[in-house]
Amino acid sequence: MTQSSMPRLRLLSLMGALGMAAFLTACSSDPTLYTLAPVPGVAQAGGPVVVEVRTPVVSARLDRDTIVRANSDYQTRLATGTSWSEALPDMVGHTLTGDLAQRLPGTTVFAENDAVSTTPSAYVELTLRNFEADSAGHALVTGTLSVHPAGKMIGPVLTSPLVWQSQDVVASNTTKLTAALSQGVAAIADQAAEKLRLLPPPLTN
């Protein structure tokens, strides 16, 4: 090996080491975490004494490590490098619980699996099929909402389809998408609060 080739080999080795370090850093970088937040609404009196929000059923397409940004052209598009700060069903359930507690100030509202010893008098159940942006870039929340009395109380099961869409185009910005989806959960809370107020009071002996 000639003297002149030694510096070149050292330079190539250094470049290789730096490239590997950059690659490992990129692979080990943590995703940006996003969190839904309750959105204030109109407070309503006359709800049940205690309400349990059961953990929502979320489509497996949405319940993944990376946030689903949009659904268009027969493709599920992900927001690369992002993630929800907790499992999506739990996050939606906790956010809906916070929204409902604000809207029903005379009602104790808690999420399923919370450390609460009280017995609910009514349940809120939610199934989500869409929780991302649509093909036009608007946040879209669809699914089914059900509200019914607990236990053996006589009363209706109030079930209705959910379709909510944001006015603004938010698909290109994950922060705006998260804020819009939080508004979508708040709209669900508005409907749930109205349905809960329609339930008959529990039977008394």
Side-chain angles (χ1 to χ4, degrees):
M1 184 176 295
T2 63
Q3 292 284 343
S4 60
S5 64
M6 294 298 292
R8 179 176 296 179
L9 287 175
R10 292 194 184 97
L11 177 61
L12 291 174
S13 297
L14 178 60
M15 291 176 62
L18 291 175
M20 181 59 70
F23 174 77
L24 292 175
T25 299
C27 291
S28 62
S29 60
D30 293 329
T32 302
L33 301 181
Y34 289 84
T35 303
L36 298 171
V39 178
V42 177
Q44 306 176 45
V49 178
V50 182
V51 171
E52 177 180 323
V53 177
R54 289 183 164 170
T55 303
V57 176
V58 176
S59 168
R61 180 181 62 82
L62 302 168
D63 189 11
R64 58 178 69 236
D65 292 338
T66 305
I67 293 175
V68 175
R69 182 187 297 276
N71 183 27
S72 61
D73 298 328
Y74 308 103
Q75 298 181 44
T76 296
R77 304 181 186 277
L78 305 181
T80 305
T82 70
S83 182
W84 295 116
S85 60
E86 62 179 308
L88 184 57
D90 293 333
M91 181 180 296
V92 173
H94 290 140
T95 306
L96 181 57
T97 298
D99 284 328
L100 268 178
Q102 186 271 324
R103 285 156 175 75
L104 298 174
T107 301
T108 298
V109 186
F110 65 93
E112 184 179 6
N113 298 323
D114 281 356
V116 178
S117 59
T118 188
T119 301
S121 51
Y123 291 107
V124 173
E125 298 179 350
L126 174 66
T127 298
L128 289 177
R129 290 190 301 272
N130 292 97
F131 198 74
E132 74 272 80
D134 60 16
S135 58
H138 301 274
L140 177 66
V141 179
T142 70
T144 304
L145 174 66
S146 179
V147 171
H148 60 89
K152 297 181 180 179
M153 290 189 303
I154 299 175
V157 177
L158 304 179
T159 302
S160 61
L162 291 170
V163 179
W164 179 89
Q165 185 184 61
S166 68
Q167 293 183 349
D168 298 330
V169 174
V170 296
S172 61
N173 185 298
T174 307
T175 299
K176 291 182 179 180
L177 176 61
T178 302
L181 291 174
S182 295
Q183 294 174 357
V185 176
I188 295 173
D190 290 335
Q191 295 187 40
E194 292 178 4
K195 293 179 181 298
L196 287 167
R197 294 175 67 247
L198 294 175
L199 293 178
L203 298 177
T204 58
N205 295 327

